[in-house]
Amino acid sequence: GAGVSQTPSNKVTEKGKYVELRCDPISGHTALYWYRQSLGQGPEFLIYFQGTGAADDSGLPNDRFFAVRPEGSVSTLKIQRTERGDSAVYLCASSPQGSGGGETQYFGPGTRLLVL
Amino acid sequence: DQQVKQNSPSLSVQEGRISILNCDYTNSMFDYFLWYKKYPAEGPTFLISISSIKDKNEDGRFTVFLNKSAKHLSLHIVPSQPGDSAVYFCAARGGGGSQGNLIFGKGTKLSVKP
């Protein structure tokens, strides 16, 4: 029914802490994407799930970033030992199949992460 | 090196006139292009798309033109309305096996003045 939802909408944390960001895709969408948008930039790709598996994680900046989608619906992006440079808006998107056949990706409102 | 470039950070247009937003790309393997519109504190909203096998796609007031030889696309909004004021992102999907992710430009902020 509803669109992509993301929680929390805002997250403030301290350098070195661990954070989890959640994404609920549109019901029935098998493909799920995570992007990160820094100030003045366009969204940058992080990782793409097809069902439960990560089909492409080439955008993850380093091993502090990890994402899961254990049941093929909700996904969690996990950031360990946060750094001030991780501050950004983290966007989640979903699409029906992710087959590459010209599908549109539908975005959630994003989680604004601020690392102090 | 940016593969998708929106060289105009901002554009101001009078209500009722045409808005033309431009986008250039470098990768000839891109097979699909999209325009998203973004209001503050919201996620990008899909606007219109075009396959690389076409040169034009129209949806109401919005038309996207693709010039493959120039690696250039543009979004035309006619007539422009104050509610169109937002940041517009051009995005491309990588062909050649990269089927999932979109590559975005930095965006153009459109202001439509009444």
Side-chain angles (χ1 to χ4, degrees):
Chain A
V4 178
S5 62
Q6 293 185 246
T7 55
S9 53
N10 293 280
K11 177 71 177 178
V12 181
T13 191
E14 293 179 344
K15 179 173 179 284
K17 299 288 189 181
Y18 168 83
V19 297
E20 289 190 352
L21 311 178
R22 176 187 168 109
C23 172
D24 279 272
I26 293 171
S27 178
H29 281 194
T30 61
L32 185 146
Y33 311 81
W34 283 99
Y35 293 82
R36 176 168 73 173
Q37 185 175 14
S38 301
L39 199 61
Q41 304 293 318
E44 292 179 296
F45 169 74
L46 295 176
I47 187 169
Y48 153 50
F49 285 91
Q50 181 63 268
T52 60
D56 183 353
D57 64 358
S58 62
L60 294 177
N62 51 60
D63 62 4
R64 295 187 298 107
F65 288 75
F66 189 70
V68 295
R69 195 185 184 202
E71 298 177 358
S73 55
V74 171
S75 175
T76 304
L77 178 66
K78 308 180 180 193
I79 311 174
Q80 298 177 327
R81 304 183 304 280
T82 52
E83 299 177 357
R84 293 194 179 90
D86 299 335
S87 298
V89 176
Y90 288 81
L91 294 163
C92 177
S94 70
S95 66
Q97 294 179 348
S99 62
E103 286 195 337
T104 297
Q105 295 180 21
Y106 298 92
F107 283 82
T111 293
R112 282 148 195 81
L113 175 66
L114 177 61
V115 182
L116 300 176
Chain B
D1 185 33
Q2 267 199 296
Q3 296 188 69
V4 177
K5 299 178 184 178
Q6 294 178 257
N7 292 319
S8 297
S10 63
L11 175 67
S12 184
V13 171
Q14 203 68 30
E15 181 179 7
R17 299 292 184 98
I18 185 171
S19 295
I20 300 176
L21 298 106
N22 294 302
C23 179
D24 297 292
Y25 62 95
T26 57
N27 190 339
S28 58
M29 297 295 285
F30 288 148
D31 60 2
Y32 200 68
F33 302 90
L34 306 89
W35 284 94
Y36 284 84
K37 173 179 170 180
K38 187 179 183 304
Y39 294 117
E42 294 184 10
T45 302
F46 170 72
L47 199 55
I48 193 169
S49 61
I50 188 166
S51 166
S52 60
I53 62 173
K54 298 192 174 184
D55 55 18
K56 178 182 175 181
N57 187 26
E58 189 173 351
D59 183 1
R61 297 186 296 115
F62 303 92
T63 303
V64 56
F65 296 91
L66 176 62
N67 182 334
K68 284 185 67 177
S69 61
K71 295 190 180 71
H72 177 82
L73 65 156
S74 60
L75 174 67
H76 293 210
I77 306 173
V78 182
S80 302
Q81 300 173 352
D84 295 331
S85 297
V87 178
Y88 288 77
F89 289 99
C90 170
R93 193 188 64 215
S98 174
Q99 295 183 349
N101 58 297
L102 297 177
I103 299 170
F104 285 82
K106 291 187 177 183
T108 296
K109 184 176 183 179
L110 173 66
S111 299
V112 180
K113 301 190 183 306

